[in-house]
Amino acid sequence: MFKVQELPYEMSALEPYVSEKTLSFHYGKHYPNYVNTLNKLIEGSEFENMSLEDIICATYNKPDKQAIFNNAGQVWNHEFLWKSMSPQGGIPKGKLLDKIVEQYGSFEEFRKQLRDAAVAQFGSGWAWVYEDNGTIKIMTTANGDTPIARGIKPILNIDVWEHAYYLDYQNRRVEHVEKFIDHLANWQELDD
Ligand SMILES: [Fe+2]
C-alpha cells in the first residue's frame, strides 16, 4: 500500500506564488486521491508488492493497464513536484547553471524555452528538465505520463494541470509557469 508522503514545508510556505488554498487542494485532495485510487487498482494484483517505478514501467503503453499507469504516474509526478518546489527556489546554481549557460547561451534563453514548452503543452500535463549524457534537456508529458516510464531521471518538473494554478492564476498558465521558475524551482543535484 502506498502512503501519502509528507510535504517538506508548510502549506503556506510557497505564498504568494502558490497559495495555501491551492496547495490545500493540490496536496491535500488531488494527490491523496491518486494514491488511494492506485492502491484500490493494484489490490490483489500482480502489482501489489511492486515499487512505484516498477509499476510505471510495467504498465507503460499497455492499454488494458492505462488506469494503473495514470495513477502511478501521477503519484510519482506529484511526489517529485513537492521536491521541485521550495520557498528558497529560483534559478539554479553551480554546475547546472554553468551547463545551461554553455548550452543555451544564457539562463534567460533556457528559461524562455522551458516556459514556452510548459505553456504549449496541450491540455493537462507536465514540463520536465533532465540531463541526458551531460546535456540539459526539456520535455513535456501529457496527463499522468512521466519520464520515469522511459528510464529518464528528471531534475525538475512543473505541473501544468489546471488544478495546480487555477485558483491563483485562473487561465493564466504563463504567469504560473514564470512565477514557478523564477521563485520556486528547486533543482535536483546533477549526477556526477
Ligand atoms: Fe497536480
Side-chain angles (χ1 to χ4, degrees):
M1 292 283 277
F2 292 101
K3 290 198 178 79
V4 167
Q5 286 191 2
E6 227 174 283
L7 194 65
Y9 33 75
E10 296 291 316
M11 210 80 94
S12 60
L14 307 178
E15 298 232 8
Y17 312 111
V18 173
S19 68
E20 182 170 3
K21 193 172 180 192
T22 289
L23 213 48
S24 72
F25 279 97
H26 199 184
Y27 171 80
K29 305 260 189 248
H30 291 280
Y31 161 57
N33 190 45
Y34 294 125
V35 175
N36 295 334
T37 305
L38 176 64
N39 283 333
K40 276 188 211 132
L41 288 169
I42 62 172
E43 201 181 347
S45 79
E46 72 214 85
F47 304 108
E48 199 174 33
N49 296 311
M50 284 168 69
S51 71
L52 194 54
E53 288 80 0
D54 286 346
I55 294 174
I56 288 167
C57 292
T59 56
Y60 182 44
N61 277 336
K62 303 240 167 69
D64 60 324
K65 302 284 190 283
Q66 190 70 44
I68 297 177
F69 177 81
N70 289 342
N71 283 280
Q74 283 296 75
V75 171
W76 199 97
N77 294 350
H78 282 91
E79 289 176 354
F80 192 76
L81 175 70
W82 313 137
K83 296 185 284 190
S84 277
M85 299 189 288
S86 161
Q88 286 86 39
I91 73 164
K93 299 181 185 70
K95 202 167 86 175
L96 176 58
L97 181 60
D98 292 346
K99 271 181 184 279
I100 287 171
V101 172
E102 190 188 314
Q103 265 180 252
Y104 292 83
S106 64
F107 180 75
E108 196 50 38
E109 175 58 26
F110 172 79
R111 176 190 179 276
K112 183 181 174 297
Q113 290 190 26
L114 176 58
R115 179 197 65 191
D116 291 352
V119 171
Q121 169 58 39
F122 185 74
S124 298
W126 299 81
W128 303 86
V129 179
Y130 65 101
E131 187 181 17
D132 179 23
N133 276 324
T135 304
I136 306 302
K137 293 187 175 172
I138 295 164
M139 71 185 284
T140 58
T141 57
N143 303 315
D145 195 3
T146 176
I148 289 300
R150 300 159 184 77
I152 291 170
K153 195 182 141 215
I155 49 183
L156 186 86
N157 68 352
I158 306 174
D159 191 342
V160 295
W161 283 61
E162 280 190 346
H163 69 219
Y165 62 88
Y166 202 82
L167 293 174
D168 297 333
Y169 301 102
Q170 291 77 51
N171 61 327
R172 303 187 304 279
R173 183 189 284 186
V174 65
E175 222 177 296
H176 156 64
V177 170
E178 288 185 341
K179 300 285 189 212
F180 187 108
I181 301 171
D182 296 342
H183 301 283
L184 302 175
N186 187 35
W187 308 83
Q188 305 301 307
E189 295 283 321
L190 291 178
D191 289 332
D192 282 321

